[in-house]
Amino acid sequence: MHNFHFSPFTFHFSLFTFMLSLMTIAASAQEVPQLGNVMSRETMLLNGKWHYIVDVQEEGYYDYRMNPTRWGFFCNAKPQRPEDLIEYDFDKAPTMQIPGDWNTQDEKLFFYEGTVWFKTSFQAQVPIEGCRTLLYFGAVNYDCHVYVNGKEAGHHIGGFTPFNYDVTDLLRSGENVVIVKVDNKRKAENVPTLIFDWWNYGGITRDVMLVKVPNTYIENYKLQLEKADAKARQREITMTAHLSKPLAGQKVTLCIPELKVEKECVTDNEGNARLVVSVPSKRLTLWCPETPRRYRVDLSLDGKAADGSVVSDFVSDSIGFRTIETKGKQILLNGKPIFLRGISIHEEKPNGGGRANSTEDAHTLLSWAKELGCNFVRLAHYPHNEYAVREAERMGILVWSEIPVYWTIAWKNPDTYKNAQRQLTDMIARDQNRANIIIWSIANETPHSPERDQFLSSLAQYARSLDNTRLISMAMEVLSASNYKNRLQDNMSQYVDVVSFNQYIGWYRDVNDAPKMVWEIPYDKPVIISEFGGGAKAGYHGAKNQRWTEEFQENLYRENLNMIDKIEGLAGTSPWILKDFRSPRRVLNDIQDYYNRKGVVSDNGEKKLAFKVLQEWYKKK
Ligand code: GCU
């Protein structure tokens, strides 16, 4: 019976723990704003084999009355005496590789949606003079509670953005234990909501690391090239930085050695620093797909805190400088019109092995995109890992980055809005210095309603308030007015810079209609076809009207590309999709087998006939 926890044993035990908790109230942790450019920091990776316990009924978190228990698995309790009753033991539990999803590492968990507990430990020598220690997660899907040495460090929801806790006061010298409760159950109020066409990979899916920062550190910063006339002899770069504390009068120095830039400024009362530097245009190579030039950028902080202690910090980054804007129906990169030769990508390993989370994974996927002739990728439908974004920047590939406001979100729920806004904030905070990211997308295929319009218009304006240097968009849907007339009519068009829509002529509609299709897009803005495509099982061949054959998909691509070529204002496209990807909505045996087969590459890396069709078309673009 559960209330053994409340036996005289437990009472004696609870008094002890209660005293302990009183003593350690001071030793609390707190969520701190996302640390910018964690990759340039002194870190200790906690990646590796973590023990895990599958906890279907959350026995480790709730008592049998469904009240959160103090004796949860986060205590990592061990029997002290022979008669002690502890009904879990992480150190006897199996292990899996972190980062990584649980679905592809334990076949019993392939379809599993629920709670899994993870445990790892590390040695530390504390305190570290003049420093704080942050515990940083690249992403955890979906709802997680983090504990350090039995104390809760924090609770985070959202499966695709980073978060970190200041755990300095929770650390002890010697062995430290980190326990993470992860729950990926789908809920109507979540973002994404109950249904979505991708696998709900659960777990600690990206890097986990301890990060050492000075007591006062550069929390985040942003560098952007200001727009200018093409003939401008000087170009201006604006730098803004924010300290972890509202300390005024601290010196922040920006250094871009290759551009002979070195300039100082001091922080204001909020701990914000801002400066503008001017660089001769001829000295600056602008970032673009053909020349993805990045410059080493150093930021240093020097000053004194009120108590006279030294304030000092340093971060270094590799940043490209470019401008992106629209002019009528054109997208201008560095002032010149560009056509976005794109493809959509889900964050799955190229070899069918679950969530991708490394530079190598990204490089393989992006190399296929390059082979297609792409200069642009739509990272769908959620922020992908930082390695992927940085590898695309290195390879000269422009990026559309999106938050999972997907299909039928709970528009009226204020917590759902806060959640979406938080994911947007974190997506921008992590990648705001990536030159290759040109579009922030705030939604995909959302049903029209006043509540939806309110939700999305607020998000769009909020995105612009965070970053007015990039384009805002979302993947809309067209209304088929009559057999062959398609009209894009969306109240959100006034809030976006690029009108993008998904269309599935040839798959969810008859391919033979393609040549007769008329597209009415009554907006003087660039148009992106953010999705089109159809399924094919690699190696399955037959007539072009035989669904699921490569010939059917090949023909669908040919017809669609001819059709969209006639769309006035077409500035780009990102066909659905680069690679077959897992989806619980795709259950057709021997064809889908829980894969969405709309890839132009199969889940084993085989290129389908449509790959060539798109490749040929991009050669002309
Ligand atoms: C939708 C949606 C995708 C989905 C695709 C499909 O447009 O945005 O997430 O996978 O259609 O049906 O294959």
Side-chain angles (χ1 to χ4, degrees), residues 344 378 381 400 402 406-407 443-446 474-479 488 500-505 519 528-532 574 576:
S344 296
R378 176 186 179 200
H381 291 289
W400 158 309
E402 183 165 293
Y406 181 97
W407 290 349
N444 180 75
E445 292 190 351
T446 49
M474 65 179 79
M476 299 171 176
E477 294 172 297
V478 281
L479 307 172
L488 181 65
S500 311
F501 63 90
N502 302 346
Q503 62 82 21
Y504 278 90
I505 305 295
W519 299 90
I528 290 180
I529 307 284
S530 35
E531 288 181 33
F532 75 85
S574 50
W576 194 258

